[in-house]
Amino acid sequence: MSGQRIAVVTGGGSGIGKAASRRFALHGDLVVVADFNEATGRSVVDAIRAEGGHAEFRRVDVAEQASVDALAADVESTVGPVEVLVTSAGILQNATDIASFDLAEHDRVWAINYRGVYLSCRAFGPRMAARGRGSIVNISSTSAVDPMPLLAYGPSKAAVQNLTGALAVELGPDGVRVNAVMPGYVLTEAMQARIDAGKRDARSMAGHSALGRMVAPEDVAQGIFFLCSDAASCITGVVLPVDAGYLPALSYLHHPGLGGVHPRREDRRPVA
Ligand SMILES: NC(=O)c1ccc[n+]([C@@H]2O[C@H](COP(=O)([O-])OP(=O)(O)OC[C@H]3O[C@@H](n4cnc5c(N)ncnc54)[C@H](O)[C@@H]3O)[C@@H](O)[C@H]2O)c1
């Protein structure tokens, strides 16, 4: 891996983005924490600097083209050429059915979770390609492949995966790799808020994985860091699950005719 890289992490002020920012900084990279929330973003920068790392804060709304384009122009002129982009800005949604799902909320999820990723890749990808070097990691979700009553969130993540493959092919000849991570249930600030509000069941989320635990933001950060490292120099267009084995365990649990027996622990059976 080259020396100090410039890494932009959207949504770097919280959760997976915060953990990724700290992971790149630990490696010696200069991290631009780009977030809508200035207070949390700046606190991540302060924490990185207190640990001897290098970080800058930039405010961005990834759903707004002008804001994302301004971020890219500003970072490249005041910080330097960006080599790593992690698009972790995103929002969760609550379970709903199609009849009662507010269309404005549907559109807001898409605006941030898909359009935000698209705009970020659009702003930084061609700049990387022009220099012949770069790595982008988008954040999908197991809900991209495991349909759930998250009627904007899941489809938006499926679209992110499709975009990741397309951009890997488009930008690959110019030395830019584009990959995604597919987290399962990650205990981030956003997830904790939903657990506290009674919208998610922590025990059930942990119990439905092969490893019997939720994913930590740092686990996802390690996957992101790997995909941006020289160890992954021949890997592009992939979606790396970081889900504590949630997807294979789910498949096993629901296999028709086998009685829903968990591979390891009877007490982790789903509660009807
Ligand atoms: N937590 C999970 O279980 C989980 C699982 C799979 C995928 N993901 C995905 O990981 C990503 C990060 O989620 P998280 O759980 O870390 O959430 P989080 O709320 O902890 O962090 C998300 C960050 O994005 C920022 N953000 C939101 N909207 C923005 C906007 N318009 N412009 C700029 N920044 C904005 C927030 O301010 C926040 O700092 C999301 O894309 C989410 O869908 C999360």
Side-chain angles (χ1 to χ4, degrees), residues 14-16 35-36 60-62 88 140 153 157 184 186 188 190-191:
S14 179
I16 292 168
D35 204 291
F36 191 72
V60 69
D61 180 351
V62 297
S88 193
S140 180
Y153 186 86
K157 293 298 184 181
V186 190
T188 63
M191 181 59 78

Side-chain angles (χ1 to χ4, degrees), residues 10-18 34-38 40-41 59-64 67-68 87-92 108 111-113 116-117 138-143 153 156-157 181-192 200 205 214-215 217 220 242:
T10 72
S14 179
I16 292 168
K18 177 168 75 175
D35 204 291
F36 191 72
N37 187 325
E38 186 155 354
T40 55
R59 188 171 186 280
V60 69
D61 180 351
V62 297
E64 296 295 332
S67 179
V68 179
T87 59
S88 193
I91 54 174
L92 307 182
R108 194 173 82 92
I112 298 172
N113 287 10
V117 172
N138 299 319
I139 317 298
S140 180
S141 157
T142 49
S143 62
Y153 186 86
S156 75
K157 293 298 184 181
V181 288
M182 181 165 60
Y185 292 114
V186 190
L187 197 50
T188 63
E189 289 87 335
M191 181 59 78
Q192 187 63 55
R200 298 279 199 283
M205 287 188 287
M214 287 186 72
V215 179
V220 186
V242 185

